[in-house]
């Protein structure tokens, strides 16, 4: 204290000690900073009284307001469950073909379907629903549908599955094997003709005749397919198992057929309806009018 003095240039008293000729000024804190500091102390004391603050052996102090983060989470979860239940009830009460007429409900159905798709469907169709030609899982983003791409058809597919061993509601269309029916030249000509239907090769008479004799009853004379039988279009260059000559020849000889489980045994009707809305929204969804079919008809989508 005896060493304190007033610094002449600044008019501020020093703290009273010196090191290597350097002295420290005893500059007071700004008033606004000091009062802010006091307010934070007061706020901390009030917070300790009102809210949980001190940890104890098995829980913290509750505070006089009785608020806890766990209690708040429980409230939020309850509200979320109520909102989810309300949306689910609205979706359940709406016929699926009428969902597009209710944009907000359709948006919520698509959002719910997107979440369900990631859990139940992405393992086969991929997270982006692009499928896999290597494994025979179809791309759900395009506009090619084996059994129909309107909301009702997609819902029916998801619920009942495709090529399941049990149940009359499952779609069972399969292509018969032609192994031993054609020689190598005939098989090559047929593959060339199938590619020519989508402009990927030049037409040839031999292949066209073989196609007319063996394939048109299912796939149509121009390769337009037949959804009633589940026979795919061959004139759009969209392939499930690959579109090379070798892939087509292999499919003719030993057809590969995919199976899709019946989700009605595993998922509730609202989740299935939301999945149908999401798949329909991916870009290839159709309307029953555009498809030229009865929206109530039970038709199915290629898995």
């Amino acid at each position: 204290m005896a060493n304190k003095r007033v610094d002449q240039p600044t008019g501020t008293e020093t703290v009273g000690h010196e090191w290597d000729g350097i002295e420290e000024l005893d500059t007071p804190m700004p008033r606004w900073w000091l009062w802010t500091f006091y307010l934070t102390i007061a706020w901390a004391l009030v917070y300790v009284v009102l809210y949980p603050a001190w940890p104890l052996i098995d829980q913290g102090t509750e505070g006089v307001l009785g608020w806890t983060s766990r209690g708040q989470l429980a409230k939020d979860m309850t509200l979320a469950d109520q909102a989810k239940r309300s949306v689910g009830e609205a979706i359940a009460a709406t016929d699926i073909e009428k969902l597009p007429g209710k944009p907000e409900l359709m948006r919520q159905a698509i959002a719910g379907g997107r979440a369900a798709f990631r859990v139940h469907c992405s393992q086969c169709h991929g997270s982006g629903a692009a499928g896999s030609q290597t494994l025979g899982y179809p791309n759900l983003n395009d506009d090619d549908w084996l059994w129909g791409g309107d909301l009702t058809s997609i819902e029916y597919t998801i619920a009942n599955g495709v090529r399941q061993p049990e149940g009359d509601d499952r779609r069972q269309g399969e292509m018969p094997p032609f192994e031993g029916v054609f020689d190598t030249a005939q098989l090559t000509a047929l593959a060339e003709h199938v590619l020519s239907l989508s402009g990927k090769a030049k037409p040839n008479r031999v292949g066209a005749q073989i196609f007319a004799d063996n394939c048109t009853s299912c796939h149509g004379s121009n390769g337009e397919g037949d959804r009633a039988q589940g026979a795919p279009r061959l004139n759009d260059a969209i392939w499930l198992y690959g579109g090379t000559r070798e892939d087509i020849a292999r499919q003719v000889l030993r057809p590969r057929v995919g199976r899709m489980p019946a989700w009605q045994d595993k998922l509730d009707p609202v989740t299935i309806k939301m999945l149908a809305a999401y798949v329909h929204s991916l870009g290839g969804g159709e309307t029953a009018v555009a498809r030229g079919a009865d929206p109530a008809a039970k038709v199915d989508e290629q898995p």
Side-chain angles (χ1 to χ4, degrees), residues 29-207:
M29 290 287 185
R31 288 290 181 182
W32 67 265
W33 193 98
L34 192 61
W35 282 109
T36 301
F37 178 65
Y38 291 153
L39 286 173
T40 59
I41 294 175
W43 167 252
L45 293 174
V46 172
Y47 187 94
V48 166
V49 174
L50 297 180
Y51 294 97
W54 297 98
L56 302 176
I57 296 176
D58 57 352
Q59 65 180 18
T61 55
E62 294 184 357
V64 297
L65 295 181
W67 181 92
T68 63
S69 58
R70 289 186 179 182
Q72 185 63 46
L73 175 61
K75 280 184 181 179
D76 292 344
M77 292 298 292
T78 300
L79 292 174
D81 288 342
Q82 290 174 348
K84 182 179 178 181
R85 192 179 306 113
S86 176
V87 171
E89 290 172 352
I91 293 174
T94 304
D95 291 338
I96 191 165
E97 66 270 14
K98 294 181 180 178
L99 274 177
K102 300 179 179 180
E104 179 59 24
L105 191 60
M106 183 66 170
R107 184 189 66 78
Q108 292 171 324
I110 291 172
R114 181 183 295 110
F117 187 93
R118 290 172 180 169
V119 175
H120 302 290
C121 311
S122 61
Q123 294 85 350
C124 293
H125 294 287
S127 58
S132 169
Q133 281 194 358
T134 304
L135 300 174
Y137 300 134
N139 183 354
L140 302 179
N141 296 286
D142 59 33
D143 58 359
D144 194 41
W145 302 91
L146 184 55
W147 301 101
D150 60 88
L151 283 165
T152 302
S153 300
I154 297 171
E155 181 187 32
Y156 185 82
T157 296
I158 296 170
N160 295 284
V162 176
R163 301 187 186 96
Q164 292 300 299
E166 74 287 340
D168 296 333
D169 293 333
R170 278 69 168 173
R171 291 298 178 187
Q172 303 293 346
E174 293 189 17
M175 178 176 173
F178 285 87
E179 194 167 18
V181 176
F182 308 125
D183 59 32
T184 302
Q186 290 174 320
L187 185 61
T188 301
L190 177 58
E192 286 286 324
H193 176 72
V194 171
L195 284 173
S196 74
L197 295 174
S198 56
K200 299 299 181 182
K202 294 181 179 179
N204 69 90
R205 289 185 178 181
V206 175

Side-chain angles (χ1 to χ4, degrees), residues 239-267:
W239 306 96
L240 184 56
Y241 293 101
T244 66
R245 289 169 179 79
E246 293 75 16
D247 291 329
I248 295 170
R250 178 186 174 187
Q251 189 67 8
V252 170
L253 294 178
R254 296 177 296 276
R256 290 161 288 176
V257 291
R259 298 182 184 275
M260 178 174 174
W263 287 101
Q264 65 182 355
D265 303 325
K266 304 174 181 67
L267 301 176

